[in-house]
Amino acid sequence: TAISPSPTLNTEGPAISSPPTLNTEGPAISPFLVGNNVWMYPDARVWNISSQAGLRIIRVGGIAYDEYMLPLQMLADYVDHIKAMGAEPMIQVSRFDSPEDAAEIVKYFNITTNNKVQFWNIGNEPHCGKDTVDSAVDVAGYIKAIAPAMKAVDPSIKIFAPDECDLHETYYSALLAGDNGATDISGKVPGQDYYYIDG
């Protein structure tokens, strides 16, 4: 049974008295290569230590966000924390909610409040280990519905989808076929000068 996240945000907790010791002996790692999900309602201690990690993009997402999208005010709180540490937020919208629901979230940040979010995801790890053309058809179906609704609100946003933890040849070959077929999400939205996905 999936457990939906609690809507309670814990902002209490002792401040970190001294910065953690960071391992600086290894090779440099691009801050754009390694990211972190915000999915456990971090308290002040987590935001504090995260701000010292040099993160550049923090994804607000995970399976719980597909099943229960956070209230806009809580998302805004996360966005504010992420921007305050000098990083860019990446918000995942649910693949199970409607295209209009996803568009409303983009509108809230990029139009209504002008608290712009550039990076977006659609859905969390949808293939679930099924490296098949059929699963690519399902994924392309919701991306081709949701992405245009989001970009109709703000064509400048960058959408990254699907968001997977691994690569599967058959699945990605179908999704990125470049043939404008039923499974292809790599092309432009019909009648527009922007693409379904940007990465």
Side-chain angles (χ1 to χ4, degrees):
T1 302
I3 299 174
S4 295
S6 162
T8 304
L9 176 63
N10 177 11
T11 57
E12 300 300 320
I16 295 175
S17 57
S18 61
T21 303
L22 300 177
N23 178 1
T24 58
E25 300 299 316
I29 299 174
S30 167
F32 291 102
L33 178 63
V34 178
N36 188 32
N37 286 344
V38 173
W39 56 277
M40 291 297 292
Y41 296 95
D43 65 21
R45 293 167 296 177
V46 175
W47 290 116
N48 195 0
I49 199 166
S50 295
S51 69
Q52 301 170 47
L55 301 173
R56 294 293 177 261
I57 296 176
I58 299 178
R59 176 177 174 256
V60 181
I63 188 63
Y65 291 72
D66 271 345
E67 298 168 357
Y68 173 81
M69 196 63 196
L70 292 182
L72 289 174
Q73 190 51 55
M74 189 172 285
L75 284 175
D77 183 64
Y78 284 6
V79 166
D80 291 344
H81 274 94
I82 292 166
K83 287 182 175 183
M85 70 174 68
E88 290 292 328
M90 176 183 281
I91 296 177
Q92 174 202 306
V93 298
S94 174
R95 68 183 193 243
F96 302 124
D97 290 345
S98 72
E100 294 77 19
D101 290 335
E104 279 300 314
I105 298 171
V106 175
K107 181 179 177 185
Y108 175 79
F109 283 101
N110 292 20
I111 306 297
T112 305
T113 65
N114 201 32
N115 189 7
K116 293 193 180 287
V117 173
Q118 179 180 11
F119 301 116
W120 297 83
N121 275 152
I122 301 174
N124 183 70
E125 299 178 15
H127 79 79
C128 297
K130 296 179 279 233
D131 182 18
T132 67
V133 173
D134 286 343
S135 59
V137 169
D138 293 340
V139 171
Y142 71 74
I143 288 175
K144 286 184 168 185
I146 295 172
M150 295 171 70
K151 289 199 172 186
V153 174
D154 183 353
S156 73
I157 65 172
K158 303 300 180 195
I159 297 176
F160 294 83
D163 194 347
E164 299 289 8
C165 61
D166 49 18
L167 297 173
H168 294 268
E169 184 178 352
T170 303
Y171 177 69
Y172 275 101
S173 293
L175 287 173
L176 305 176
D179 62 4
N180 293 318
T183 63
D184 182 36
I185 60 172
S186 66
K188 288 185 176 179
V189 173
Q192 304 298 331
D193 197 32
Y194 48 76
Y195 293 85
Y196 287 107
I197 62 167
D198 301 283

